Amino acid sequence: MNEAEIVVIGGGVSGLSSAYFLAKAGKNVVVVEKGMVGGEASGRNGGMISERTDEPALIPLALESVRLWTTLEDELGYPTEFIHQGRIQVAVSEEEMGDIFTERDHALHHGISVEQLDPSEISELIPGISGRTLGGLFFANGGHANPQRAVQAFAWAFQDRGGRLYQNTAVTGINVEDDRVTSVETTAGTIAADVVVATAGPQTTLLADMVGLHVPVAPARVEIIATAPLEPLFDIALVGNGLYGRQAARGNLLFGGGAHEWIDVGLTSEPAKPNTPLIRNIARRLAELLPAVADVPVIRSWAGIVEQAPDYMPIIDIPDTPSNYIIVTASAHGFGIAPATGKVVSDLVLQGKSNIDISGLTLNRFSHLTPDWRKKRGWVPAPEHP
Amino acid sequence: MESRPLVVVGAGVSGTAAAIEAARAGVQVTLIDENPVPTSLARLNVPQFFGQRFTDALRDKAAMMDRIAAANGALREAEEAGVDIQLGVCVWGAFRNSENSRILDGPQIGLADHERSSMMKYDRLIVATGSRDLSIGFAGWNLAGAMGANGAHSLMSRHQALSAQRIVILGSGNLGLSTAKMALDNGIEVAAILDVTPSVRGEKTLAAHLQSKGVDIYTSHTVKQAVGSNGDIESVVLVETDDNFEPVAGTEKVMSADTVCLAISLVPNIEILSLLDCDLNFKSHLGGYVPIHNDWMRTSVDTVFVAGDAAGFHDEMVLNREIARNQGRIAGIAAAESLGAINKSEARSLISEIGTGVPAVQPTEAHTIWKQWLNSLANAGGQDVIACQCEEVTRSEIIGLKPPRYLEWGSVQMSRRTLQTQLKDNPANPNQVKRLTRAGTGICQGRNCREQVALLLAEESNSDIADIPLSTYRPPLRPLPLNIMWPDDESEDVRNEWPKWFSPNNKVLG
């Protein structure tokens, strides 16, 4: 039988980062991916990287992650387009200005470097920005990267360290004996494993069902637009007017935001990811945010499927049973924190504990939830519509 | 939002015929065509490969509307039948409810004229979007003056705005031959027609006619390069090719020409069908990925019909436009029947008078000729030739899976990675190549390189181009400025209840 010390299920950024650090530590690792690496949310997100000042439980992980991002290209040997020029959040309404003050207080409380900006300072940092900004915050330690390139970088570097990557291979079963996972059934055969790392994104709940665990996440579809390339305007990650985004190395503006749609996913199939007319509303908000370039053509849009836990936060945990099944699900924070996630998983496998504080990310915070929690919250797909 | 019972996209031969039949059957029909397109798009070779060879007349939208209307006699017939004709309006999006998108208020298309965009609901849609030029790059094809046959046809016939003086035509099928004939009729000199095949591919009588007018036809020839200064083509170097499509040394000929016209083949415009998730199949004898449809031109999506080149293009259709017209008529009648305007037996009897809409002759496969052209151009001009003009990605950069030059990335690890190493991990996937090399991510939205990338992937993976998945289409299907895409009709609800990511209050985006 095919065997590995560790089988990672899911070739997204969390899985590949975990696999990379484990392979680097000399472990025999297999990654099983139902499609191609980064084919889902890991390669389709906005590429934002921040210290997550709004999520106290995530700050230790996020801070370590930014630190790792700064040397990641050299570490992996492949480009990620990481830019470490900060993150700016601007307010264009009184309500958003209120959020700015709250956010600033959070940051200061957690000892994170933050600078409050007035409209003229914002204009200096983001040429062409709306004259309607009321104020903003600058986080020097933020940045962004190219998700597709970064995921591929992890995948290649994993292979360079001897890791085996099985793409187009779906998991069809997980065998458990005496409260431990013994092997993973895949469309490419059975793989015996000492440890399984489940980084299955939207499929997390379906996968956990196989080992008798309830891991509550709900998948949702979200959208992003891309413009034609522009001359370099700003290299700071930008949040404002209900959008988040960046100017890519090539010069395209990539911005997302707006309403999400709850969906269901299958375990082995690729979920459809259509765009909707929402892309017009995103275009309008981008034109409002950057009126100086309102005539730049939109040339592309895409959608991605993310998963959300009930409190919008990641889960990184090892359950009591099966005791060798590591759960990693990121609630749409996955890309930015991926390098640290990989470290944590590697620590959990190698030492049984994490060197980074993940005490706020345990599974048992949802032990009170009943299996119909999605329905109760309305986090379910709309009824079939003609 | 406006709502129409039947929208026909494309006012060419098939779309106009569809609109007329449906209107005569009592359906209220809206016929939309994107021509004339804004010159800002035309300059980008979107949606047709104009190669900067259009005159200033193209700027005059009103005059162009008149010329387009005059060029298609059937449009007047459509107007008389009560069809609402909208020229200069593009369809940039098509949306319908499906498994993971359920909250639309019915199927709808995104429209835009040169100033603003809107959404339009439909009960039935007929996609008659025609075809576009197959582009395969040769050295110098990024100079002004390299264009496509479809683009040239359109500029000569519909727009009367082609500015070419002396033209070299690549391809001796009916597409190339008819382009040459039309050029002569428009007072444009034809310097040469050439093809990699050992004999003329198209109608022999048409070829003989052209030769009698002094046009030289070079079989077993390819282009080594187009040469020019100041960004414009001034001459073209041809070379003879052997049985393996290798250039024969010492056979180069320099032709003076300001225009080189790619007339190898046409590719069906299936973008809207792809967005609507109609089932598509690669059919080489129909020019690539085409929709599956029944005898009544209905696609796998009940509300969507197809007609003309968009349903599949083959060389016979260039000379025999009845094929496209018949398909259009059938689609128009079938759509009218599906809307209940006429009953099934009426429709059946109307359609039986038309015939099948399929070609009389079994068309031959197209992609062999695509491949032969790629091989000959690569052999004669090398692989350091740009394949994706927008992002300036060469064929060798695609084969080498190189990160874009602007990243200035070099590492031992990266140098070990190529398309070949990638193919060991994963079946050939144009979307992956696009992500890593950026070929196909530019402002032309991949129109001018997607077949080249697929051909290269087939070549490198030793497989058939039919096995290469379709590179994804996404909206907007045309480059659409933010301030045109902007929804004038945005509701107050959407405006005021725009969510901040998933989070409850006090959480931020990104």
Side-chain angles (χ1 to χ4, degrees), chain B residues 75-329:
Chain B
L75 270 183
R76 177 174 308 216
E77 223 180 302
E79 202 167 12
E80 283 163 5
V83 175
D84 167 31
I85 301 168
Q86 302 190 11
L87 300 181
V89 175
C90 78
V91 175
W92 55 263
F95 308 91
R96 67 181 180 96
N97 282 319
S98 56
E99 188 62 26
N100 293 342
S101 169
R102 299 181 173 198
I103 53 178
L104 298 175
D105 181 21
Q108 53 198 271
I109 48 178
L111 304 175
D113 61 18
H114 301 195
E115 279 89 39
R116 58 183 291 274
S117 66
S118 60
M119 302 300 298
M120 181 183 276
K121 286 203 284 179
Y122 61 85
D123 295 322
R124 296 291 181 274
L125 188 70
I126 298 179
V127 177
T129 42
S131 51
R132 63 180 163 80
D133 289 294
L134 171 78
S135 299
I136 302 178
F138 49 87
W141 81 303
N142 46 337
L143 296 170
M147 70 182 311
N150 207 34
H153 271 251
S154 175
L155 284 175
M156 285 188 278
S157 62
R158 261 184 293 193
H159 301 84
Q160 297 161 45
L162 181 65
S163 67
Q165 306 293 318
R166 193 174 145 85
I167 190 166
V168 169
I169 294 171
L170 315 188
S172 69
N174 290 325
L175 182 65
L177 300 179
S178 72
T179 306
K181 178 159 189 315
M182 200 184 270
L184 291 180
D185 292 347
N186 279 273
I188 296 163
E189 248 185 286
V190 178
I193 299 172
L194 63 141
D195 210 322
V196 291
T197 49
S199 59
V200 170
R201 282 192 280 135
E203 282 288 329
K204 303 296 178 274
T205 49
L206 180 54
H209 167 79
L210 291 167
Q211 283 168 317
S212 77
K213 300 279 178 188
V215 174
D216 291 323
I217 302 182
Y218 297 90
T219 52
S220 295
H221 270 72
T222 195
V223 174
K224 189 170 179 183
Q225 66 178 131
V227 185
S229 55
N230 302 321
D232 259 287
I233 290 177
E234 289 167 348
S235 64
V236 185
V237 183
L238 317 186
V239 65
E240 204 177 317
T241 51
D242 64 17
D243 294 347
N244 297 318
F245 306 101
E246 293 282 353
V248 178
T251 62
E252 285 90 351
K253 298 172 200 60
V254 181
M255 302 247 158
S256 105
D258 69 330
T259 300
V260 180
C261 185
L262 281 156
I264 299 166
S265 186
L266 299 182
V267 182
N269 281 327
I270 55 160
E271 299 110 305
I272 293 172
L273 300 160
S274 171
L275 287 191
L276 289 170
D277 205 20
C278 298
D279 289 339
L280 305 169
N281 256 350
F282 191 94
K283 290 197 178 148
S284 182
H285 64 282
L286 292 176
Y289 277 95
V290 289
I292 293 170
H293 62 78
N294 67 13
D295 288 347
W296 285 19
M297 307 310 291
R298 197 173 203 160
T299 69
S300 62
V301 176
D302 266 356
T303 47
V304 182
F305 295 75
V306 67
D309 289 7
F313 167 81
H314 55 89
D315 210 40
E316 189 191 342
M317 292 172 81
V318 175
L319 300 181
N320 181 3
R321 297 312 283 160
E322 284 307 303
I323 298 168
R325 193 184 327 274
N326 288 346
Q327 288 180 351
R329 293 181 64 191

Side-chain angles (χ1 to χ4, degrees), chain A residues 38 77 99 149 159-160 168 221 242 250 261 272-273 275 281 288 294 296 298-301 308 312 382, chain B residues 100 102 117 391 411 417 422 425-427 435-436 441 445 474-475 480 482-483 490 495 498 500 502 508:
Chain A
D99 294 344
R149 240 176 256 297
Q159 290 180 312
D160 291 344
N168 303 295
R221 185 183 53 75
R250 172 69 176 102
E261 186 167 341
K273 292 170 282 287
N275 282 97
N281 309 96
E288 288 170 343
V296 66
V298 181
I299 59 171
R300 202 164 39 247
S301 65
Q308 287 287 1
Y312 312 95
Chain B
N100 293 342
R102 299 181 173 198
S117 66
E391 299 295 308
S411 67
R417 299 281 172 180
Q422 201 72 353
D425 283 345
N426 207 25
R435 289 165 161 218
L436 297 173
T441 62
Q445 303 174 302
R474 305 297 302 201
L480 203 60
L482 290 169
N483 52 14
E490 186 173 71
R495 194 82 205 127
W498 189 263
K500 287 180 228 163
F502 285 85
V508 294

